[in-house]
Amino acid sequence: MNKILKYFCAGLLCCNIVAALTACSDDNDPTYLDEIRVSSSYVAIPQNGGSTTITLTTTGQWIFENQMWIVGKDTTIAPTPQWLTVSAVSGAAGQTQLTFSAEGTLDGRTCELIINSGNKGQRINVIQGLSTVSEVSVAEVMAGPEKTYRVTGTVTRIANTTYGNWYMNDGTSDTDLYIYGTLDKAGKAGANNSIDAWGIDVGDEITIEGPKQLYNGTVELVNVTVININKSLIKVDALSTTDPLPAEGGEVTATISCKGDGISVVIPDEAKDWISISALNGSDISFRVLPNSGDYRKATITFITYSDGKQYTAQATIAQQAKADAPGSEAKPFTVAEAIAKCIEQGSTASDQTFYAKGIISSIKEVSTSYGNATFNISDNGQDVNALTCFRAKYVGNEAFTAEDQIAVGDEVVVCGKLVNYTDKDGNTTPEFTQGCYIVKLKKGGSSGGTAGTLAQPFTPAEANAFCQSLGEGNTSDTDYYVKGKIIEITDNNQFGTQYGNCTFYISTDGTDSAEKFYVFRTLYLGNVKYTDDSWLKPKAGDEVIVCGKFTLYKDKNGNLVPETSANNSYIYSLNGKTN
């Protein structure tokens, strides 16, 4: 039997609910099929919350069909939406009492459930309250509770055309209302080019309806339904400029189409000292942009026309690169600490400006030759703390990665891209270069002249021995250090096992048993965890490892001083270049 997927938001349009009521107007009487019967295919739950019970009778086993439900930004596959609880979602042949329960809601809401038994399906329409969504202002949406709103306003800017993320205002609020997700004409979320499908442009007057949520401090209407679009009578057809304009400045021409009465041009006050109108030639309006002696800058130019006393607008943004040696430029890349500070300042929306940052690769999450990108962390000292994530970065020159060993922990890189303090669905933040970033420069092997014992320049086995000797008898280092080498043969007794979760072995520069070998004693597994699963990859003789942890000069029972890692205070940071 084919799956039938239905898409529902937490609050639905009044017309949808009325349609559902009409379809169910004769459903209070029992519905009879040979395999499956319900005492009512219409279930009404009070808007303030409560329960309703119906009787299900089947000749065989029965089950509620899984469907796709949209709640805010999240999509789930389940027999029922999150707001509805059913006393049972499957059962055996015979008679079953099904109770449908829901908490109170500010909005009317509805869903259609499907019960399958044998080769038959029975639909159950569940309705809680009636939608009484009336149109409000943007200011009222900003100040109101989290519920469903209908609002009319002008599109002020478009953030993402793929999923339909954009901003609107109606003049009642100092802050634009963010629309996160626009349902396509079939009522589906996440459809590609939903902006283009509706033909939404900056300056259009649009009426929408959708649920409000507060996400990371930002008021949003999520997965909205488009009710009406009143197209703007003025539009920017083209803007003759690179994005951004070079720091040297130049001329920019906007080509305007207008069906209103005349055109007014508004340059923001803060941009009037570097942008001015230089020429008017029919539908073309040219601007002079002066050289930039400071940081990256941009300004939004507004074009206004009128018709029948009503104002219509369109906008164009002119951006200009910072001076060549500005912080974060290619000539003067950020340190990782500076880049992280810029991410925090930027917040959860990616920067318009492209920045450069220089650091040492401290860990590698993935190198994908299938997609040609890599995700890795960089830091100022090569240790994987206070690190900046480079998310799905391309290789040098913005080329695709073709091999996993093109980068390694300890390599020094300059990365170019847009910065963001990424916020996940649980509210956790990660400073990162967004997807689309790439490596500008690569210096292999951490040859940046860093301090020995760091991730950028790990100890050789001989250096690790010498460092332990410098600690003095019985002393252990206060901080973690790194040592790199190849494993000399590991005996069965010293191999990783689930009983103790650690491993003991010697390493040397080339993996042979030499005088300079270093003793790695009871080290933990990758990720600094105990070895708990025999299916995990075990290191073997000849494998190259970087071990991180505290070092000590241990005195054994015979009085011998042994340079080694402190027991259970070290771990294999990387195994043959892999960190997980």
Side-chain angles (χ1 to χ4, degrees):
M1 180 177 180
N2 293 332
K3 298 286 185 182
I4 302 175
L5 301 182
K6 293 290 181 182
Y7 296 77
F8 292 97
C9 295
L12 296 181
L13 298 180
C14 178
C15 59
N16 289 342
I17 295 176
V18 171
L21 281 171
T22 302
C24 301
S25 60
D26 298 324
D27 284 340
N28 290 320
D29 296 327
T31 299
Y32 295 107
L33 298 171
D34 290 339
E35 294 88 352
I36 181 171
R37 301 179 183 182
V38 290
S39 59
S40 175
S41 59
Y42 161 60
V43 174
I45 299 175
Q47 186 161 337
N48 292 331
S51 301
T52 299
T53 299
I54 66 171
T55 301
L56 168 69
T57 305
T58 64
T59 59
Q61 292 184 331
W62 59 271
I63 189 170
F64 276 89
E65 184 174 302
N66 280 331
Q67 300 184 70
M68 182 180 292
W69 311 99
I70 300 171
V71 180
K73 297 179 182 179
D74 298 326
T75 300
T76 59
I77 303 294
T80 67
Q82 290 180 330
W83 58 268
L84 179 66
T85 300
V86 183
S87 56
V89 293
S90 64
Q95 193 173 88
T96 304
Q97 299 297 308
L98 292 179
T99 300
F100 300 78
S101 306
E103 300 292 332
T105 178
L106 294 174
D107 300 312
R109 52 192 179 185
T110 184
C111 67
E112 183 181 73
L113 309 179
I114 303 172
I115 304 176
N116 291 323
S117 182
N119 62 351
K120 297 293 184 179
Q122 172 66 51
R123 299 178 185 275
I124 305 292
N125 290 291
V126 182
I127 296 178
Q128 184 179 19
L130 288 175
S131 180
T132 56
V133 180
S134 58
E135 189 166 312
V136 298
S137 67
V138 169
E140 289 174 299
V141 175
M142 292 292 188
E146 293 191 6
K147 55 173 287 185
T148 298
Y149 291 92
R150 178 178 291 198
V151 61
T152 298
T154 301
V155 179
T156 56
R157 52 195 167 112
I158 294 173
N160 179 292
T161 58
T162 301
Y163 298 105
N165 300 348
W166 47 281
Y167 295 83
M168 72 181 305
N169 211 325
D170 60 357
T172 65
S173 173
D174 293 334
T175 304
D176 290 346
L177 175 61
Y178 186 38
I179 311 303
Y180 188 96
T182 304
L183 300 180
D184 66 11
K185 293 183 179 181
K188 295 181 180 180
N192 288 336
N193 302 315
S194 58
I195 292 288
D196 294 341
W198 284 109
I200 298 173
D201 292 305
V202 172
D204 290 348
E205 183 182 74
I206 185 168
T207 301
I208 56 171
E209 184 174 311
K212 170 185 171 177
Q213 73 173 25
L214 188 64
Y215 181 78
N216 202 29
T218 300
V219 173
E220 303 174 346
L221 292 188
V222 181
N223 288 328
V224 302
T225 298
V226 176
I227 307 299
N228 183 62
I229 297 177
N230 184 21
K231 296 296 294 180
S232 178
L233 297 183
I234 188 169
K235 182 179 178 181
V236 178
D237 293 322
L239 197 65
S240 65
T241 178
T242 57
D243 186 21
L245 200 68
E248 294 76 21
E251 291 283 328
V252 178
T253 298
T255 301
I256 309 296
S257 58
C258 179
K259 298 179 181 179
D261 300 327
I263 301 175
S264 300
V265 181
V266 178
I267 299 173
D269 290 341
E270 62 272 16
K272 289 180 178 177
D273 60 345
W274 60 281
I275 298 177
S276 60
I277 297 175
S278 59
L280 297 173
N281 183 15
S283 61
D284 292 340
I285 302 175
S286 297
F287 300 88
R288 179 177 294 110
V289 179
L290 298 179
N292 188 3
S293 59
D295 294 334
Y296 171 91
R297 58 190 182 184
K298 69 174 184 176
T300 300
I301 312 298
T302 302
F303 304 90
I304 303 173
T305 191
Y306 294 88
S307 179
D308 298 327
K310 191 171 184 178
Q311 176 179 294
Y312 297 86
T313 63
Q315 293 179 330
T317 299
I318 297 176
Q320 189 177 24
Q321 293 177 349
K323 62 180 180 179
D325 60 348
S329 64
E330 185 172 9
K332 191 178 180 180
F334 283 141
T335 64
V336 171
E338 290 171 333
I340 291 174
K342 178 59 70 173
C343 290
I344 294 172
E345 175 188 325
Q346 180 66 35
S348 58
T349 301
S351 63
D352 293 321
Q353 181 181 0
T354 296
F355 292 100
Y356 294 78
K358 181 178 180 181
I360 300 166
I361 296 179
S362 56
S363 64
I364 300 172
K365 180 178 180 181
E366 179 186 30
V367 177
S368 172
T369 55
S370 299
Y371 295 101
N373 58 41
T375 297
F376 53 89
N377 285 353
I378 61 175
S379 67
D380 287 321
N381 59 8
Q383 299 190 30
D384 208 26
V385 292
N386 299 320
L388 176 72
T389 297
C390 302
F391 182 66
R392 295 179 181 173
K394 293 289 189 178
Y395 190 57
V396 177
N398 209 9
E399 297 291 334
F401 275 87
T402 57
E404 293 186 0
D405 62 356
Q406 285 179 290
I407 57 172
V409 170
D411 290 350
E412 182 182 270
V413 293
V414 175
V415 180
C416 172
K418 297 182 177 182
L419 293 173
V420 68
N421 202 29
Y422 174 73
T423 304
D424 66 19
K425 63 181 181 180
D426 297 320
N428 302 310
T429 58
T430 304
E432 67 178 35
F433 274 114
T434 61
Q435 183 173 353
C437 63
Y438 65 95
I439 299 173
V440 178
K441 297 179 182 179
L442 171 65
K443 186 183 291 186
K444 297 296 293 181
S447 54
S448 58
T451 303
T454 63
L455 181 57
Q457 191 174 322
F459 287 136
T460 64
E463 289 172 336
N465 284 320
F467 174 74
C468 290
Q469 293 288 351
S470 72
L471 293 172
E473 178 184 325
N475 292 326
T476 301
S477 64
D478 293 327
T479 58
D480 290 345
Y481 290 88
Y482 294 81
V483 59
K484 181 178 181 180
K486 291 186 177 181
I487 296 175
I488 303 171
E489 184 178 2
I490 305 174
T491 66
D492 290 341
N493 290 338
N494 291 330
Q495 180 58 278
F496 273 119
T498 57
Q499 181 177 6
Y500 299 109
N502 57 40
C503 184
T504 297
F505 51 84
Y506 281 97
I507 59 173
S508 66
T509 301
D510 59 3
T512 61
D513 191 3
S514 59
E516 52 88 48
K517 66 185 179 183
F518 179 70
Y519 193 43
V520 179
F521 182 62
R522 294 183 183 173
T523 192
L524 300 180
Y525 195 66
L526 290 164
N528 199 14
V529 299
K530 285 188 175 183
Y531 182 89
T532 58
D533 189 333
D534 279 324
S535 68
W536 293 356
L537 180 67
K538 292 187 177 184
K540 61 185 182 302
D543 285 347
E544 184 177 81
V545 294
I546 296 177
V547 177
C548 173
K550 293 180 170 55
F551 289 27
T552 187
L553 187 61
Y554 176 72
K555 186 176 182 178
D556 67 18
K557 61 183 180 179
N558 298 319
N560 300 313
L561 298 178
V562 183
E564 63 184 43
T565 57
S566 176
N568 293 303
N569 280 322
S570 72
Y571 66 99
I572 297 177
Y573 177 80
S574 68
L575 175 62
N576 294 325
K578 303 296 184 182
T579 56
N580 60 0

